[in-house]
Amino acid sequence: MSWRFSLVGRLVASLIIVTVMFGVVAAATGTFTLHREINEAMDNSMQEAARRLLPLVIDDLFGRETLQPPRELAEAVSQEDDQRLIYQVRDSQGRIMLHSHGAPATPLTTGLARGFSQEAGWRVYTEPAVSGTLFVQVAESDQRRNEETLEAAAGFLVPMIALTPLSAILAWLTLTRFMRPIGKLRADISARDGDNLAAIDTEHLPVELAAIARSVNRLMRRLHMAMEAEKEFTANAAHELRTPIAGALAQAERMIAEATDDAGMKRPRQIKASLVSLSNLSEKLMQLARADAGIAAGKSADLGAVVALVVADFEQHAENEFRLSLKRPSKGKVEVAIDPDALAIVTRNLIENALRHGAQGRTVVIRVDDSAGLSVINGGPVVPAPDKLLRRFERGTTPSSGSGLGLAIVGKILQQTGATLSLNSPASGREDGFEATIRFACATAIPGTLRDGLPSGSA
């Protein structure tokens, strides 16, 4: 996920932007103040240099001829000042009488008023002497002053620029650490589903997150109660329907046996077909209730043995004779992590779907391989979007009757064991047909046909 959609990323970006904005404002204000203070300090230095220069100028001028051309000052005030300041000594007419090394040969200013002036890129201080007949001018270039300001400003700007990425990293690490409980709470909530509605531990969560976790716990308690009520109703309804359905079927069979002609048999046969359909639906609801109760986990079974037992049960019916082809694993026993009863329910539903919805007259192939895989393949037209058949009461475009619960029961049981189910249409290596393939988690091989005995009832 992009950092733009991350709470930590947004917080860090906001902090960096605000910090940089305030830093820029502070740097601009500080640079302006620093520039003003540096200029004041340099102005004071220029005044001091001019006053220290006056005695030297007067002594030098009294010892030379009046008409002598301008010459460089014999002695600098100080080595430090001489590196950045230049001097000119002018008479009342503005002529240059003395100047320092590096000073221009032309006058620094047009006027000779006492104080500071700004001309031609120079900051100039003029100090009159000898009753206004001599003027000492000390100058410093603006470029020099700007360089001093930039050097001083760089002293706090460079560390600020260098520390900005570091502060971003520290902010990211700090926020990530403090946001860790949110990630834990998110993981705990994500782990909850229809098979795991345990309460979330709130003991070690911050106060703000603990309130959210308690609300989620209350929601899961209500959801658990609703799901338990639904499971109980489904199981009880399916169980209670068995006896009256069986009695009604017996009565329908008796009516068929007592009928004397085809017209008299027509209605009892319709009643019987409806009761058989209702009986199958009741059986599916019982299986679904058991799947919702979590019957699959915690045990193991011999995949080949259970599948062979279910196939043998189907072959006892005349309409299924010669329609099933079982291919067993080459190494014999394949132990898988699933309850034998649950495995029988899964196998029965897959084979029942293949027989009911597959093309009549074509063989249904049941393949058990050495890598804990089970495939059930039937012929028939291609089924578009086969994965949608895993929804409850979802049926494809088929003329055959059915409840739409078979594959939903299979998916629910396999979800509890970590096995994977893939549905393909057309089947692998064919141009038509339907293929359901399961990959089970292997269990430790245990001597004997089945670890927990033969499946009961469901097969």
Side-chain angles (χ1 to χ4, degrees), residues 49-118:
R51 290 166 184 171
R52 289 166 57 190
L53 187 61
L54 280 175
L56 298 176
V57 170
I58 295 172
D59 289 343
D60 189 74
L61 289 176
F62 277 115
R64 56 178 288 213
E65 297 179 4
T66 304
L67 298 177
Q68 187 176 353
R71 61 188 181 88
E72 291 186 6
L73 194 62
E75 182 181 355
V77 176
S78 69
Q79 183 178 2
E80 182 181 357
D81 289 340
D82 189 52
Q83 291 176 354
R84 62 184 180 85
L85 300 178
I86 61 171
Y87 315 94
Q88 284 185 351
V89 180
R90 300 167 64 185
D91 59 15
S92 58
Q93 302 300 319
R95 294 188 298 268
I96 298 175
M97 304 174 66
L98 295 174
H99 63 84
S100 64
H101 177 73
T106 58
L108 292 169
T109 60
T110 55
L112 294 173
R114 181 173 185 170
F116 291 94
S117 59
Q118 194 81 28

Side-chain angles (χ1 to χ4, degrees), residues 248-268:
L249 275 172
Q251 294 295 327
E253 292 282 359
R254 184 174 179 178
M255 291 174 63
I256 294 173
E258 293 176 350
T260 58
D261 53 13
D262 291 341
M265 292 182 183
K266 181 178 180 181
R267 189 172 298 276

